[in-house]
Amino acid sequence: MNEWFVIHKAEEEVQDIFKEKLKEGNNIGIISEAGCPGIADPGQLLVAAAQEMNVEIRPLVGPNSLLLALMASGMNGQQFQFAGYLPIDNEQRVKAIKELEAESQKKSCTQLFIETPYRNNQLIEVVLKIGKPSTKLCLAVDLTGKEEWIKTKTIANWKKEKIDIHKRPAIFLLLASQ
């Protein structure tokens, strides 16, 4: 018998069910619709609960949207950092992007970050407004989906295009020039 539970916005309820199923001795698989459970994904909550219960964990190989984006970006894959979600507050967001760009330039480190799909266009606007023209920005959109596309350009070149990725899952990668 297969049972499916969606964790999004029901974390505590699903965690309780998950723990009960583990106590019953069930084998449980955790999957994600666009990546790997536990990597920029709420699956980490279930894995942490299983760890606390001393249950055996076996990660399986599969696509990870962050690594797929990095692989296809042409950016530094030797040194990279995942910053997760950037602040929603515009002032804090601007500060975070400037810090990521400065650290990228200092360490030649690719910066990866994500956003809730309905705020993608606002994030792009801010990055293009405050980023240095020579900084590279990669947009990896709808990875592993039918409408997938991955493009890396300088901020100066992105400014010449109309970009609309509203409500589409995306990974953002930033690499400042030395």
Side-chain angles (χ1 to χ4, degrees), residues 66-80:
L66 300 170
L67 294 180
L68 293 174
L70 183 59
M71 290 165 53
S73 70
M75 295 181 175
N76 188 351
Q78 294 294 316
Q79 297 218 1
F80 58 93

Side-chain angles (χ1 to χ4, degrees), residues 7 12 16 19 35 38-39 43 61 64 89 121 123 133 157 174:
I7 193 169
E12 280 189 44
D16 291 342
K19 289 176 185 177
I39 309 296
V61 177
N64 174 304
D89 175 77
N121 289 345
L123 178 57
N157 286 331
L174 194 76

Side-chain angles (χ1 to χ4, degrees), residues 17-105:
I17 295 168
F18 179 77
K19 289 176 185 177
E20 193 57 43
K21 297 290 181 186
L22 287 176
K23 286 177 188 172
E24 293 170 4
N26 292 304
N27 288 321
I28 298 175
I30 302 172
I31 61 172
S32 178
E33 80 281 356
C36 277
I39 309 296
D41 181 275
Q44 73 186 37
L45 300 170
L46 301 180
V47 174
Q51 287 285 2
E52 289 172 14
M53 295 174 69
N54 201 29
V55 173
E56 182 179 2
I57 309 288
R58 288 192 187 160
L60 302 175
V61 177
N64 174 304
S65 57
L66 300 170
L67 294 180
L68 293 174
L70 183 59
M71 290 165 53
S73 70
M75 295 181 175
N76 188 351
Q78 294 294 316
Q79 297 218 1
F80 58 93
Q81 177 178 320
F82 176 57
Y85 289 96
L86 300 186
I88 296 171
D89 175 77
N90 196 52
E91 190 175 308
Q92 292 176 356
R93 176 177 282 199
V94 166
K95 181 181 176 193
I97 293 167
K98 286 180 178 181
E99 288 172 356
L100 290 173
E101 187 177 37
E103 187 170 359
S104 175
Q105 184 173 22

